[in-house]
Amino acid sequence: MSTCASSPFDHPKADIIMRSSDEVDFRVFKLFLTLASPFFETMFELPQPAVGTSDDTKDGLPVIPVQEDSKTLDTFLRFCYPSTLAEDPSLESLADIQAILGAARKYSLDLIERKVLEAESLRCFAIARNARLKHETITAARYTLRQPLIPTWFAEIELITASDLLALLTYHKKCSIAVEPLLAKLDWVTSHYGMNRMAASSDTDCQCARSIEAKFNLWESAPVWWWVSYMKTTFELLRDIPSGDIVRSEAEKTIQEVRSADCTTCSARVKENMEEFSNLLALKVETATASVRISV
């Protein structure tokens, strides 16, 4: 006899039931699963038996038996549901991570795999390396670039050898070094913008202070202080976190900083211009680090 899952997977208006291997019924909405996974989108497009013509029904809803147990299925579905209905669950053990990554691959949910890697990249690296999964190890290593070079302790570190950890730290350092030429030589900026000055070289009606540092003077007029400050801060952070994410997050801080200043000219255009520039720089960073290989 099956039992019913807890909220939000007990909704009376759900249109399908997923039954775990330990006989727990999850009442879910096909729409959420379809939007999350092409696997489910294809499955639900197939002709379904008419209500009452199949033994695999309950309360008039089709029942889909799955191989995952109720704990894994609950975690899996919470990742599929909108955050307003179900918060992303925490993954507390090695078994939890392995189970949810297996389900994500099985049901073609790249979103789950990406979320897990973003939140648990070091743990995923250790698990994948311990299992000698080369592709997964390399993927997880790339996600660790979003964190500082020296990681904090995590339980799964005991799954890998000192050589594995050294390989990861060496890879991280090489990625940081690969980014450094982007600051040393700024011709990629002028190549992208050409003779059309970017936001950092504002019109004459701009009231912002200007920088006198020659290396940042890419056009005839000196660049505004906030762009130079952004470049210095961002490249300092890239030494420890060589990721496009840090580029974009620092751009958001700069946007807020400029808007709180007195220059109405820059305030009106800083969001559009800094988003364009930070996307360009983030792409350059990701291209530079993509050429670096981890030795595993």
Side-chain angles (χ1 to χ4, degrees):
M1 177 70 69
S2 62
T3 59
C4 189
S6 60
S7 179
F9 308 119
D10 58 353
H11 202 287
K13 293 187 178 180
D15 51 12
I16 200 164
I17 294 173
M18 296 186 72
R19 178 170 294 163
S20 65
S21 60
D22 51 348
E23 297 291 313
V24 178
D25 289 344
F26 291 76
R27 301 172 66 95
V28 295
F29 293 91
K30 289 190 289 185
L31 175 62
F32 295 148
L33 301 184
T34 297
L35 293 175
S37 163
F39 176 93
F40 287 114
E41 182 179 15
T42 301
M43 184 176 74
F44 294 142
E45 286 178 349
L46 298 174
Q48 302 294 317
V51 175
T53 63
S54 172
D55 293 334
D56 294 328
T57 61
K58 180 179 179 180
D59 300 332
L61 300 180
V63 176
I64 301 176
V66 297
Q67 295 178 341
E68 289 71 29
D69 63 23
S70 56
K71 183 178 181 181
T72 301
L73 187 56
D74 183 274
T75 302
F76 171 83
L77 292 172
R78 288 180 188 277
F79 276 120
C80 295
Y81 264 49
S83 58
T84 53
L85 297 177
E87 294 184 359
D88 287 351
S90 60
L91 301 172
E92 299 177 353
S93 69
L94 169 62
D96 289 343
I97 294 177
Q98 289 176 319
I100 196 61
L101 287 178
R105 295 190 189 98
K106 177 180 176 180
Y107 297 113
S108 303
L109 266 83
D110 295 339
L111 175 62
I112 292 182
E113 191 167 3
R114 188 166 65 251
K115 282 186 175 182
V116 173
L117 283 167
E118 287 174 353
E120 309 284 357
S121 57
L122 286 167
R123 297 174 70 190
C124 289
F125 172 83
I127 293 167
R129 183 58 186 151
N130 177 260
R132 295 299 184 263
L133 301 172
K134 186 171 183 179
H135 172 73
E136 288 77 5
T137 299
I138 293 172
T139 301
R142 287 204 56 78
Y143 274 87
T144 66
L145 298 178
R146 304 180 183 202
Q147 301 181 36
L149 173 62
I150 305 300
T152 57
W153 186 88
F154 56 102
E156 288 78 11
I157 197 171
E158 297 179 3
L159 295 174
I160 58 177
T161 66
S163 295
D164 293 330
L165 182 58
L166 179 60
L168 180 64
L169 297 180
T170 301
Y171 166 72
H172 201 295
K173 185 62 178 178
K174 286 182 177 179
C175 286
S176 298
I177 294 172
V179 169
E180 290 176 356
L182 293 174
L183 179 61
K185 193 174 182 181
L186 296 171
D187 57 345
W188 56 272
V189 179
T190 51
S191 294
H192 178 78
Y193 288 95
M195 296 306 295
N196 298 317
R197 300 175 189 174
M198 58 175 290
S201 185
S202 303
D203 296 334
T204 54
D205 59 346
C206 168
Q207 301 302 310
C208 290
R210 303 282 171 158
S211 172
I212 60 173
E213 293 189 51
K215 69 177 298 181
F216 294 109
N217 192 352
L218 306 180
W219 287 274
E220 293 179 0
S221 60
V224 289
W225 66 271
W226 50 261
W227 180 72
V228 174
S229 177
Y230 165 77
M231 291 291 282
K232 288 182 175 180
T233 301
T234 300
F235 275 91
E236 182 65 29
L237 291 170
L238 284 169
R239 294 175 63 183
D240 199 35
I241 307 175
S243 165
D245 281 10
I246 200 70
V247 172
R248 296 185 180 94
S249 64
E250 286 304 305
E252 286 299 320
K253 294 178 184 178
T254 298
I255 291 169
Q256 297 306 316
E257 186 177 8
V258 172
R259 285 180 167 175
S260 65
D262 295 330
C263 181
T264 55
T265 301
C266 288
S267 294
R269 67 183 66 172
V270 65
K271 180 176 176 60
E272 178 182 355
N273 288 328
M274 280 305 295
E275 284 182 351
E276 178 188 357
F277 179 75
S278 63
N279 285 334
L280 171 65
L281 177 52
L283 178 61
K284 294 292 182 180
V285 168
E286 288 158 5
T287 300
T289 58
S291 64
V292 180
R293 297 288 180 265
I294 183 170
S295 301
V296 293

